[in-house]
Amino acid sequence: MSASVHLKILSRDQLRERVAEWRRAGARVTLANGCFDLLHVGHVRYLHAAKELGGKLVVAVNSDASVRALKGEGRPLMLAEERAEILSALADVDAVVIFPENDVRAIIREICPDFHAKGTDYTAEGVPERAEVEACGGRVAIVGDPKDHSATEIIRSRLTPRSS
């Protein structure tokens, strides 16, 4: 793993320190999150749109256990550390943190992002962490292209035999 990629993957304590440094420098912070079990174009577009909100982009990645709880047995396909490394290699991503919870409420309380970016499969009113974001003075932003891509669907389509 390259040094620049490694420097982007942070513990929760390191993330709090990095966000404090960014804020002292006047930067805004956007938080995006997900399983990112099989990185696809929908993820890339979502993260790029999140970055366009301005400032630094933090990506919170579900731990292996939380992916299993959310998606079922056989998931994730890749270990959390590998998913974090892939995400940290993207130019739009400034920091990556792995979290064990099923949602990012605790991280929101820890870093108080200016924006919490969610994909287009959500509405601003339907974001589970909305109250935490607003309590920190932040805003929920729905970003990315229409939800036409899904790791679950990609996996399912590869496991289902195609008719000739």
Coordinates of all heavy atoms in Angstrom, one line a residue, residues 31-89:
L31 N -19.3 14.2 4.8 CA -19.3 12.7 5.2 C -20.2 12.0 4.2 O -21.3 12.3 4.0 CB -19.8 12.5 6.6 CG -19.9 11.1 7.1 CD1 -18.6 10.4 7.2 CD2 -20.7 11.0 8.4
A32 N -19.6 10.9 3.7 CA -20.4 9.9 2.9 C -20.1 8.6 3.5 O -19.1 8.4 4.2 CB -19.9 10.0 1.4
N33 N -21.1 7.7 3.3 CA -20.9 6.3 3.9 C -21.5 5.3 3.1 O -22.4 5.5 2.3 CB -21.4 6.3 5.4 CG -22.9 6.4 5.4 OD1 -23.5 7.4 5.3 ND2 -23.5 5.2 5.7
G34 N -21.1 4.0 3.4 CA -21.7 2.9 2.7 C -20.8 1.6 2.9 O -19.8 1.7 3.5
C35 N -21.4 0.5 2.3 CA -20.6 -0.7 2.4 C -19.5 -0.8 1.4 O -18.5 -1.3 1.7 CB -21.6 -1.9 2.2 SG -22.9 -2.0 3.4
F36 N -19.8 -0.3 0.2 CA -18.8 -0.3 -0.9 C -18.2 -1.7 -1.1 O -17.0 -1.8 -1.3 CB -17.7 0.7 -0.6 CG -18.2 2.1 -0.5 CD1 -18.3 2.7 0.8 CD2 -18.6 2.9 -1.6 CE1 -18.9 4.0 1.0 CE2 -19.1 4.2 -1.4 CZ -19.2 4.7 -0.2
D37 N -19.0 -2.7 -1.1 CA -18.6 -4.1 -1.1 C -18.0 -4.4 -2.5 O -17.1 -5.2 -2.6 CB -19.8 -5.0 -0.8 CG -19.3 -6.4 -0.5 OD1 -18.1 -6.7 -0.3 OD2 -20.2 -7.3 -0.5
L38 N -18.6 -3.9 -3.5 CA -18.1 -4.1 -4.9 C -18.2 -2.7 -5.6 O -19.2 -2.3 -5.9 CB -19.0 -5.1 -5.6 CG -18.6 -5.5 -7.0 CD1 -17.3 -6.1 -7.1 CD2 -19.7 -6.4 -7.6
L39 N -17.0 -2.1 -5.6 CA -17.0 -0.7 -6.1 C -17.5 -0.6 -7.6 O -17.0 -1.4 -8.4 CB -15.6 -0.1 -6.0 CG -15.5 1.4 -6.2 CD1 -16.2 2.1 -5.1 CD2 -14.0 1.8 -6.2
H40 N -18.5 0.2 -7.9 CA -19.0 0.3 -9.2 C -19.2 1.8 -9.6 O -18.9 2.7 -8.7 CB -20.3 -0.5 -9.4 CG -21.4 -0.1 -8.4 ND1 -22.0 1.1 -8.4 CD2 -21.9 -0.8 -7.3 CE1 -22.9 1.1 -7.4 NE2 -22.8 0.0 -6.7
V41 N -19.6 2.1 -10.8 CA -19.7 3.4 -11.3 C -20.6 4.3 -10.4 O -20.4 5.5 -10.3 CB -20.0 3.5 -12.8 CG1 -21.4 3.0 -13.0 CG2 -19.7 4.8 -13.4
G42 N -21.7 3.7 -9.9 CA -22.6 4.5 -9.1 C -21.9 5.0 -7.8 O -22.1 6.1 -7.4
H43 N -21.0 4.2 -7.2 CA -20.2 4.6 -6.1 C -19.3 5.8 -6.5 O -19.2 6.8 -5.7 CB -19.4 3.5 -5.5 CG -20.1 2.4 -4.9 ND1 -19.8 1.1 -5.1 CD2 -21.1 2.4 -4.0 CE1 -20.6 0.3 -4.4 NE2 -21.4 1.1 -3.7
V44 N -18.6 5.7 -7.6 CA -17.7 6.7 -8.0 C -18.4 8.0 -8.2 O -18.0 9.1 -7.8 CB -16.9 6.3 -9.3 CG1 -16.1 7.4 -9.8 CG2 -16.0 5.0 -8.9
R45 N -19.6 7.9 -8.9 CA -20.4 9.2 -9.2 C -20.9 9.8 -7.9 O -21.0 11.0 -7.7 CB -21.5 8.8 -10.1 CG -21.0 8.5 -11.5 CD -22.1 8.0 -12.4 NE -21.6 7.6 -13.7 CZ -22.3 6.9 -14.6 NH1 -23.5 6.5 -14.3 NH2 -21.7 6.7 -15.8
Y46 N -21.4 8.9 -6.9 CA -21.8 9.4 -5.6 C -20.7 10.1 -4.9 O -20.9 11.2 -4.4 CB -22.3 8.2 -4.8 CG -22.4 8.3 -3.3 CD1 -23.3 9.3 -2.7 CD2 -21.8 7.4 -2.5 CE1 -23.4 9.3 -1.4 CE2 -21.9 7.5 -1.1 CZ -22.7 8.4 -0.6 OH -22.8 8.5 0.8
L47 N -19.5 9.5 -4.8 CA -18.4 10.1 -4.1 C -17.9 11.4 -4.8 O -17.6 12.4 -4.1 CB -17.3 9.2 -3.9 CG -17.6 8.0 -3.0 CD1 -16.5 6.9 -3.0 CD2 -18.0 8.4 -1.6
H48 N -18.0 11.4 -6.1 CA -17.6 12.7 -6.8 C -18.6 13.8 -6.5 O -18.2 14.9 -6.3 CB -17.5 12.4 -8.3 CG -17.0 13.6 -9.1 ND1 -15.7 14.1 -9.0 CD2 -17.7 14.4 -9.9 CE1 -15.6 15.1 -9.8 NE2 -16.8 15.4 -10.4
A49 N -19.8 13.5 -6.6 CA -20.9 14.5 -6.3 C -20.8 15.0 -4.8 O -21.0 16.1 -4.5 CB -22.3 13.9 -6.6
A50 N -20.4 14.0 -3.9 CA -20.2 14.4 -2.5 C -19.1 15.4 -2.4 O -19.1 16.4 -1.7 CB -20.0 13.2 -1.6
K51 N -18.0 15.1 -3.1 CA -16.8 16.0 -3.1 C -17.1 17.4 -3.6 O -16.6 18.4 -3.1 CB -15.7 15.3 -3.9 CG -14.4 16.2 -3.9 CD -13.7 16.3 -2.6 CE -12.4 17.0 -2.7 NZ -11.7 17.0 -1.4
E52 N -18.0 17.4 -4.6 CA -18.4 18.7 -5.2 C -19.2 19.6 -4.2 O -19.3 20.8 -4.5 CB -19.2 18.5 -6.5 CG -18.3 18.0 -7.6 CD -19.0 17.9 -8.9 OE1 -20.2 17.5 -8.9 OE2 -18.3 18.1 -9.9
L53 N -19.6 19.1 -3.1 CA -20.3 19.9 -2.1 C -19.3 20.9 -1.5 O -19.6 21.9 -0.9 CB -20.9 19.1 -1.0 CG -22.1 18.2 -1.4 CD1 -22.5 17.2 -0.3 CD2 -23.3 19.1 -1.8
G54 N -18.0 20.6 -1.6 CA -16.9 21.5 -1.2 C -16.2 20.9 0.0 O -16.7 20.1 0.8
G55 N -14.9 21.3 0.1 CA -14.1 20.9 1.3 C -13.6 19.5 1.2 O -13.3 19.0 0.1
K56 N -13.4 18.9 2.4 CA -12.8 17.6 2.5 C -13.9 16.5 2.5 O -14.9 16.7 3.1 CB -12.0 17.5 3.8 CG -10.9 18.6 3.9 CD -9.8 18.3 2.8 CE -8.6 19.3 3.0 NZ -7.5 18.9 2.1
L57 N -13.6 15.4 1.9 CA -14.5 14.3 1.9 C -14.0 13.1 2.7 O -13.0 12.6 2.4 CB -14.8 13.8 0.4 CG -15.7 12.6 0.3 CD1 -17.1 12.9 0.8 CD2 -15.8 12.1 -1.2
V58 N -14.8 12.8 3.7 CA -14.6 11.6 4.6 C -15.6 10.5 4.2 O -16.8 10.8 4.0 CB -14.9 12.0 6.1 CG1 -14.7 10.7 6.9 CG2 -13.9 13.1 6.6
V59 N -15.0 9.3 3.9 CA -15.9 8.2 3.6 C -15.8 7.2 4.7 O -14.7 6.7 5.1 CB -15.4 7.5 2.3 CG1 -16.3 6.3 1.9 CG2 -15.4 8.5 1.1
A60 N -17.0 6.9 5.3 CA -17.1 5.9 6.4 C -17.6 4.6 5.7 O -18.6 4.6 5.0 CB -18.1 6.4 7.4
V61 N -16.8 3.6 6.0 CA -17.0 2.2 5.4 C -17.5 1.3 6.5 O -16.9 1.1 7.5 CB -15.7 1.7 4.7 CG1 -15.9 0.3 4.2 CG2 -15.2 2.7 3.7
N62 N -18.6 0.6 6.2 CA -19.1 -0.4 7.1 C -18.1 -1.5 7.3 O -17.5 -2.0 6.4 CB -20.4 -1.0 6.6 CG -21.6 -0.1 6.6 OD1 -21.7 0.7 5.7 ND2 -22.4 -0.2 7.6
S63 N -17.9 -1.9 8.6 CA -17.1 -3.1 8.9 C -17.7 -4.3 8.3 O -18.8 -4.4 7.9 CB -17.0 -3.2 10.4 OG -18.2 -3.7 10.9
D64 N -16.9 -5.4 8.3 CA -17.3 -6.7 7.8 C -18.6 -7.2 8.5 O -19.5 -7.6 7.9 CB -16.2 -7.7 7.9 CG -15.0 -7.4 7.0 OD1 -15.2 -6.6 6.1 OD2 -13.9 -7.9 7.3
A65 N -18.6 -7.1 9.8 CA -19.7 -7.5 10.6 C -21.0 -6.7 10.3 O -22.1 -7.3 10.2 CB -19.4 -7.5 12.1
S66 N -20.8 -5.4 10.2 CA -22.0 -4.6 9.9 C -22.5 -4.8 8.5 O -23.7 -4.8 8.2 CB -21.8 -3.1 10.2 OG -20.9 -2.5 9.3
V67 N -21.6 -5.1 7.5 CA -22.1 -5.5 6.1 C -22.9 -6.8 6.2 O -24.0 -6.9 5.6 CB -20.9 -5.6 5.2 CG1 -21.4 -6.2 3.8 CG2 -20.2 -4.3 4.9
R68 N -22.4 -7.8 6.9 CA -23.1 -9.0 7.1 C -24.4 -8.8 7.7 O -25.4 -9.4 7.2 CB -22.2 -10.0 7.9 CG -22.3 -11.4 7.5 CD -21.3 -12.4 8.2 NE -20.3 -11.8 9.1 CZ -19.1 -11.4 8.7 NH1 -18.7 -11.3 7.5 NH2 -18.3 -10.9 9.6
A69 N -24.5 -8.0 8.7 CA -25.8 -7.7 9.4 C -26.8 -7.0 8.4 O -28.0 -7.3 8.4 CB -25.6 -6.9 10.6
L70 N -26.3 -6.2 7.5 CA -27.1 -5.4 6.6 C -27.5 -6.2 5.3 O -28.6 -6.1 4.8 CB -26.4 -4.1 6.2 CG -26.3 -3.1 7.3 CD1 -25.3 -2.0 6.9 CD2 -27.6 -2.5 7.7
K71 N -26.5 -7.0 4.8 CA -26.6 -7.6 3.5 C -26.8 -9.1 3.6 O -27.2 -9.7 2.6 CB -25.4 -7.3 2.6 CG -25.1 -5.9 2.5 CD -26.0 -5.2 1.5 CE -25.6 -3.7 1.3 NZ -26.5 -3.1 0.3
G72 N -26.5 -9.7 4.7 CA -26.7 -11.2 4.9 C -25.4 -12.0 4.7 O -24.3 -11.4 4.4
E73 N -25.5 -13.3 4.9 CA -24.4 -14.2 4.8 C -23.8 -14.1 3.4 O -24.5 -13.9 2.5 CB -24.8 -15.6 5.2 CG -25.0 -15.9 6.6 CD -23.7 -15.5 7.5 OE1 -22.6 -15.9 7.1 OE2 -23.9 -14.9 8.5
G74 N -22.5 -14.3 3.4 CA -21.8 -14.3 2.1 C -21.3 -12.9 1.7 O -20.6 -12.7 0.7
R75 N -21.6 -11.9 2.5 CA -21.2 -10.6 2.3 C -20.4 -10.1 3.5 O -20.7 -10.6 4.6 CB -22.4 -9.6 2.1 CG -23.3 -10.0 0.9 CD -22.7 -9.7 -0.4 NE -22.5 -8.2 -0.7 CZ -23.5 -7.4 -1.1 NH1 -24.7 -7.9 -1.4 NH2 -23.2 -6.2 -1.3
P76 N -19.4 -9.3 3.4 CA -19.0 -8.7 2.2 C -18.1 -9.6 1.4 O -17.6 -10.7 1.8 CB -18.1 -7.5 2.8 CG -17.5 -8.1 4.0 CD -18.7 -8.9 4.6
L77 N -17.9 -9.2 0.1 CA -17.1 -10.0 -0.8 C -15.6 -9.7 -0.5 O -14.8 -10.6 -0.7 CB -17.4 -9.6 -2.2 CG -18.8 -9.9 -2.7 CD1 -19.0 -9.4 -4.1 CD2 -19.1 -11.4 -2.6
M78 N -15.3 -8.5 -0.1 CA -14.0 -8.0 0.2 C -13.9 -7.6 1.7 O -14.8 -7.0 2.2 CB -13.5 -6.9 -0.7 CG -13.4 -7.3 -2.1 SD -12.8 -5.9 -3.1 CE -14.1 -4.7 -3.0
L79 N -12.7 -7.8 2.3 CA -12.5 -7.3 3.7 C -12.6 -5.8 3.8 O -12.3 -5.1 2.8 CB -11.2 -7.8 4.2 CG -11.0 -9.3 4.3 CD1 -9.5 -9.6 4.6 CD2 -11.9 -9.9 5.3
A80 N -13.0 -5.3 4.9 CA -13.1 -3.9 5.1 C -11.8 -3.1 4.8 O -11.9 -2.0 4.2 CB -13.6 -3.6 6.6
E81 N -10.7 -3.7 5.2 CA -9.4 -3.0 5.0 C -9.2 -2.9 3.5 O -8.6 -1.9 3.1 CB -8.3 -3.8 5.7 CG -8.4 -3.8 7.2 CD -9.4 -4.7 7.8 OE1 -10.0 -5.6 7.1 OE2 -9.7 -4.5 9.0
E82 N -9.6 -3.9 2.7 CA -9.4 -3.8 1.2 C -10.3 -2.8 0.6 O -9.9 -2.0 -0.2 CB -9.6 -5.2 0.6 CG -8.5 -6.2 1.0 CD -8.8 -7.6 0.5 OE1 -9.9 -7.8 -0.1 OE2 -7.9 -8.4 0.7
R83 N -11.6 -2.8 1.1 CA -12.5 -1.8 0.6 C -12.0 -0.4 0.9 O -12.1 0.6 0.1 CB -13.9 -2.0 1.2 CG -14.5 -3.3 0.6 CD -15.9 -3.6 1.2 NE -15.8 -4.2 2.5 CZ -16.4 -3.8 3.6 NH1 -17.2 -2.8 3.6 NH2 -16.3 -4.4 4.7
A84 N -11.5 -0.2 2.1 CA -11.0 1.1 2.6 C -9.8 1.5 1.7 O -9.7 2.7 1.3 CB -10.6 1.1 4.0
E85 N -8.9 0.6 1.4 CA -7.7 0.9 0.6 C -8.2 1.3 -0.9 O -7.6 2.3 -1.4 CB -6.8 -0.3 0.5 CG -5.5 0.0 -0.2 CD -4.5 -1.2 -0.2 OE1 -4.7 -2.1 0.7 OE2 -3.6 -1.2 -1.0
I86 N -9.1 0.6 -1.4 CA -9.6 1.0 -2.8 C -10.2 2.4 -2.7 O -9.9 3.3 -3.6 CB -10.6 0.0 -3.3 CG1 -9.9 -1.4 -3.6 CG2 -11.4 0.5 -4.5 CD1 -10.9 -2.5 -3.8
L87 N -11.0 2.7 -1.8 CA -11.7 4.0 -1.7 C -10.6 5.1 -1.5 O -10.7 6.2 -2.0 CB -12.7 4.0 -0.6 CG -14.0 3.2 -0.9 CD1 -14.8 3.0 0.4 CD2 -14.8 3.9 -1.9
S88 N -9.6 4.8 -0.6 CA -8.6 5.8 -0.3 C -7.8 6.2 -1.5 O -7.1 7.2 -1.6 CB -7.8 5.4 0.8 OG -7.0 4.3 0.5
A89 N -7.8 5.3 -2.6 CA -7.0 5.6 -3.8 C -7.7 6.6 -4.7 O -7.1 7.1 -5.7 CB -6.7 4.3 -4.5

